[in-house]
Amino acid sequence: MSLPPEKASELKQLIHQQLSKMDVHGRIREILAETIREELAPDQQQLSTEDLIKALRRRGIIDDVMKELNFVTDNVDQELPSSPKQPVGFTDRQSTLLKKSDGTRMADSTTMLSISDPVHMVLIKTDIFAETTLVASYFLEWRSVLGSENGVTNLTVELMGVGTESKVSVGILNIKLEMYPPLNQTLSQEVVNTQLALERQKTAEKERLFLVYAKQWWREYLQIRPSHNSRLVKIFAQDENGINRPVCSYVKPLRAGRLLDTPRQAARFVNVLGYERAPVIGGGGKQEQWCTLLAFLCRNKGDCEDHANLLCSLLLGYGLEAFVCVGTKAKGVSHAWVMTCGTDGTITFWESLTGHRYLHKPTSPDEPSAAEQPKPLYPYRTIGCVFNHQMFLGNCQPSDSVESCVFDLNDESKWKPMSEEAIKSVCAPGATTSLPPFPPLCASTIDASVTSNEIEMQLRLLVSEHRKDLGLTTVWEDQLSYLLSPALASYEFERTTSISAGNEEFQDAIRRAVPDGHTFKGFPIHFVYRNARRTFATCLRSPFCEEIICCRGDQVRLAVRVRVFTYPESACAVWIMFACKYRSVL
């Protein structure tokens, strides 16, 4: 193998710089000084570089090192561009010229035994109408495979239901676990069992200590003001398996990679995930069920707490100071939403179910001008506590009204904090009591253009059949349908950014497309599901949309446009606009 002279020189310089930076010569010289000094002349006091190289060569060390180096030449032209343009970044791309030849290394069995995160498995049922139901959620302890002789083990686990059916078996799952690549050394089953038993004991003790602390914190909170007993201070919440967990464990910073670009786009993504309250058997109000993130994303719908926990996690991932708020909205209905605190003290509420944002300005009922101040736009009435992955604070102000609440979270006279160390002991990443790391968001598998066309064609057929049943003919105008596209794009842009844009061009195009003496009517509507029949049935319940679909008159032309906007986890926003134009007859 040969390298061009200029690249060989660059390679030598790179190696020399790296060796000098690490002071490799000095370290080797110190180590070998005593072992090879007897080979030197008596009058020689120091080791030179030449003496060092000769001694290393006689011992075969240099030959062994050269055998371990693999010079890669197939990508040299790509890694060392001849163009004078410098690469943008901090990585020295030339360093890829030297690669170790021992291949990919994996952790040994002892290191893997210390990884306490279980494998979270979620079972989802999807019916013929694409409606999803959470059937089971199971945390698999996988480390038993570390003690199997051939790196393969078979397990049988019983899957239990969720929510009110968490004690009911839904089936048996046979699992085969195999380590790949195989471990060089396996552990004895006794060592694995001992480690798991110690972890269970440690987990139980941490949970016990946190429960003792939480009870003491609650007693102190009630001593401040007896009326605090009626406030929504949520310290623990049941997951889908009926297990009580600290609410802080449901929130962790979550980075969306390149799937979501801005916090507002993240809010829009959470908004298009479906809203569904946990089912209740019989009366008694709302069934509590806070889903873990994986269960929530797998079924693409959940309660307000699930939406708020996900949005808070995403906003924390964007570097914002975000908290989940627990309180009530109109008519005393319990609710959860998200709050961010700006560096300038600005408090912003994020409604995870709609994507709306509200600025909060506290008002004092004692001020004379309070009656003249406009009512807040946000729907929230009271607030009991706020929390994220590191903090939990109970509202101890005289009034729990959101309107008059001051969100200075550092003021312990207004917000009673829990010990961050206590929260960390049970909620920090890697803690045996915490939930496993949140899974990364997955890119959408939906083809927006294809899906938009499919729904549009189905709606055309449904409209034509509906009008035929009424004894009406249907004439579609493709050009008018196409002109509706900018409006749908504008609506989605406004939902994401709160900025309205593009309506002027849309209105001008419609004016040009509608002749004098004709009337134009349009009706946009938004959905978060892709079932054409379901959307059509919903549209017919609107008197405005029904008027367009069932339009009668002279020279009636109908149009429909569907635009699907995709988001991670195959969530989507579906915008539909029905329109008609007809000749006005007096």
Side-chain angles (χ1 to χ4, degrees), residues 106-128:
M106 65 177 291
D108 57 24
S109 55
T110 305
T111 303
M112 298 189 72
L113 183 61
S114 65
I115 302 175
S116 59
D117 295 324
V119 176
H120 190 187
M121 300 185 298
V122 174
L123 180 61
I124 297 292
K125 179 178 69 175
T126 305
D127 62 19
I128 58 175

Side-chain angles (χ1 to χ4, degrees), residues 176-242:
K176 178 182 178 181
L177 296 178
E178 180 176 359
M179 293 297 301
Y180 182 82
L183 294 171
N184 295 328
Q185 181 180 5
T186 58
L187 301 173
S188 68
Q189 197 64 48
E190 182 180 359
V191 171
V192 175
N193 294 338
T194 302
Q195 173 70 16
L196 299 182
L198 289 174
E199 286 183 5
R200 284 192 293 269
Q201 182 180 358
K202 183 179 178 182
T203 298
E205 180 64 15
K206 284 186 176 182
E207 291 177 343
R208 186 189 68 82
L209 292 175
F210 183 79
L211 180 60
V212 170
Y213 170 77
K215 288 181 177 180
Q216 177 63 28
W217 183 93
W218 178 246
R219 284 194 294 267
E220 295 173 356
Y221 182 71
L222 293 181
Q223 289 175 2
I224 299 175
R225 198 173 287 109
S227 60
H228 286 178
N229 190 41
S230 62
R231 296 188 178 183
L232 282 178
V233 180
K234 194 75 174 170
I235 304 175
F236 296 92
Q238 286 189 359
D239 65 7
E240 63 268 20
N241 292 323

